[in-house]
Amino acid sequence: MTIAIMGAMPEEIEPILKRVGSYETVVYAQNRYFTCKFGTHQLVIAYSKIGKVFSTLTAATLIEKFGAEVLLFSGVAGGINPELGIGDLIVATQLCQHDLDITAFGHPYGYVPEGAVFIESDRRLRECAFDVALEMGMTLKEGIIATGDQFVASPEKKAWIGKTFHADALEMEGASVAVVCDALEVPFLVLRAISDTADMDAGFDFESFLENSAKRSADFIMNMVETL
Ligand code: 4EH
């Protein structure tokens, strides 16, 4: 099977590249894609660059150009649910775009005609994630992840996103990847480790905990790949 593993930032895929050891590099659409064999699987690994547009391009490329049959996203997120502390892992049950707003025409936040507010991630991959968490003796939470083209560092904005979408965590790429995978019928999973709690300390916390949290997510994703 061809498995795509993507992150948004170099820090989010570096631990994965280290773990696979050697790989080939293919440049496409001004980005680098790293390919290798891993057990019986073919892996294609990439970081998209930050935000919904770049992550859409990368997810579509991983599927259409590299033939990905499963897509796993690994990275960090800002926590909304107070039960999520820095370093904790969350797997998305559903994802939504918190910055999509045509409410002027009577539509709900996050909705455009012929779209859906929430996109659900693959149930079987989520079950696999919980099996791996059990094996690793780690706590894994599941919940709604809200995506938008903003680094959120405000208690008010965070509270609004939490209330409007019942979101547990927020980031800048998950929902766009979900839209692509859903449309192209490729099972996907979004896993994130908390790097900050999207409040006034978010910028500082993010810089302090990015590397460690990104590695926690990447290690978990690779343990999942080993069981697929
Ligand atoms: O890819 C972007 C990164 C922040 S922007 C989204 N990622 C990290 C998840 C994330 C996040 N998103 C929105 C973690 N905490 C978040 C938050 N709000 N509070 C970035 C980071 N470093 C340099 C440049 N841009």
Side-chain angles (χ1 to χ4, degrees):
M1 186 165 60
T2 300
I3 303 172
I5 308 172
M6 73 173 278
M9 304 178 72
E11 289 86 348
E12 291 173 328
I13 68 154
E14 262 152 25
I16 293 162
L17 293 177
K18 265 195 192 147
R19 180 129 157 205
V20 301
S22 67
Y23 45 82
E24 258 145 52
T25 305
V26 181
V27 175
Y28 185 79
Q30 300 174 14
N31 201 5
R32 284 178 302 166
Y33 293 81
F34 308 103
T35 64
C36 65
K37 282 218 122 168
F38 191 77
T40 58
H41 298 301
Q42 187 68 34
L43 300 188
V44 52
I45 302 158
Y47 75 90
S48 58
K49 301 188 282 286
I50 293 161
K52 295 197 296 181
V53 174
F54 284 128
S55 58
T56 298
L57 174 61
T58 298
T61 300
L62 286 164
I63 295 166
E64 292 289 292
K65 164 97 181 152
F66 292 92
E69 298 166 274
V70 164
L71 190 151
L72 307 173
F73 190 105
S74 175
V76 300
I80 300 175
N81 186 326
E83 286 175 30
L84 286 169
I86 287 167
D88 289 350
L89 291 169
I90 175 168
V91 60
T93 50
Q94 295 182 297
L95 300 104
C96 60
Q97 297 179 63
H98 68 69
D99 59 349
L100 189 51
D101 178 357
I102 56 164
T103 56
F105 302 99
H107 294 295
Y109 284 106
Y111 179 83
V112 293
E114 298 180 55
V117 177
F118 294 102
I119 310 271
E120 198 170 327
S121 66
D122 186 72
R123 188 178 301 273
R124 296 226 310 271
L125 289 172
R126 263 185 280 147
E127 281 167 7
C128 169
F130 279 96
D131 291 343
V132 167
L134 195 67
E135 219 168 275
M136 293 174 75
M138 282 183 75
T139 307
L140 176 64
K141 280 196 76 69
E142 62 176 3
I144 294 172
I145 293 185
T147 301
D149 280 329
Q150 299 158 3
F151 182 81
V152 177
S154 134
E156 295 78 25
K157 184 86 204 179
K158 166 187 167 175
W160 182 84
I161 294 167
K163 181 180 70 157
T164 307
F165 300 98
H166 304 289
D168 297 289
L170 57 85
E171 33 85 313
M172 301 177 67
E173 299 87 14
S176 39
V177 170
V179 167
V180 170
C181 293
D182 182 62
L184 295 172
E185 297 181 85
V186 169
F188 74 95
L189 182 95
V190 176
L191 179 83
R192 300 268 186 174
I194 302 301
S195 56
D196 58 84
T197 50
D199 50 20
M200 52 282 176
D201 300 324
F204 182 83
D205 286 346
F206 176 81
E207 291 192 326
S208 312
F209 300 112
L210 165 64
E211 195 178 317
N212 189 259
S213 291
K215 186 168 187 326
R216 287 172 69 84
S217 177
D219 287 344
F220 191 98
I221 280 285
M222 288 311 288
N223 288 353
M224 274 188 73
V225 171
E226 281 181 348
T227 75
L228 290 177

